[in-house]
Amino acid sequence: LADEQRQQNVRSVFALTELPDPSTLQGAVCALIDDVCTTGATLNACAEVLLQGGAARVDALTFGATV
C-alpha cells in the first residue's frame, strides 16, 4: 500500500477507552512500542489519539524498520 493509503487506513482505528480517571493522561509522557515501523502510520495514529487525550509527549520505540 502507498504511504498515504496506510495513513488513511489507520486514521480512525484507534480510540481511548473509558479511563477510571479521565485526567490520567493529562501531561503524561507515553511510550509506544511496535515490532516494525514501515510507514509510521500506526505509530502516528496512536500518538494522535494519546495527544488528543491530554498526553504531553509520545515517544516511539521499534525493533525493526523497512528501508
Side-chain angles (χ1 to χ4, degrees):
L1 295 175
D3 290 355
E4 288 178 24
Q5 189 175 0
R6 284 181 189 267
Q7 295 284 342
Q8 198 69 325
N9 286 348
V10 295
R11 185 156 310 228
S12 60
V13 171
F14 303 101
L16 291 174
T17 59
E18 188 174 322
L19 299 172
D21 179 359
S23 66
T24 302
L25 282 178
Q26 296 305 310
V29 175
C30 300
L32 294 174
I33 301 172
D34 199 356
D35 58 346
V36 174
C37 180
T38 304
T39 64
T42 301
L43 293 170
N44 285 336
C46 289
E48 240 179 70
V49 170
L50 290 168
L51 291 168
Q52 288 173 359
R57 188 175 92 205
V58 179
D59 297 326
L61 171 68
T62 62
F63 296 97
T66 58
V67 289

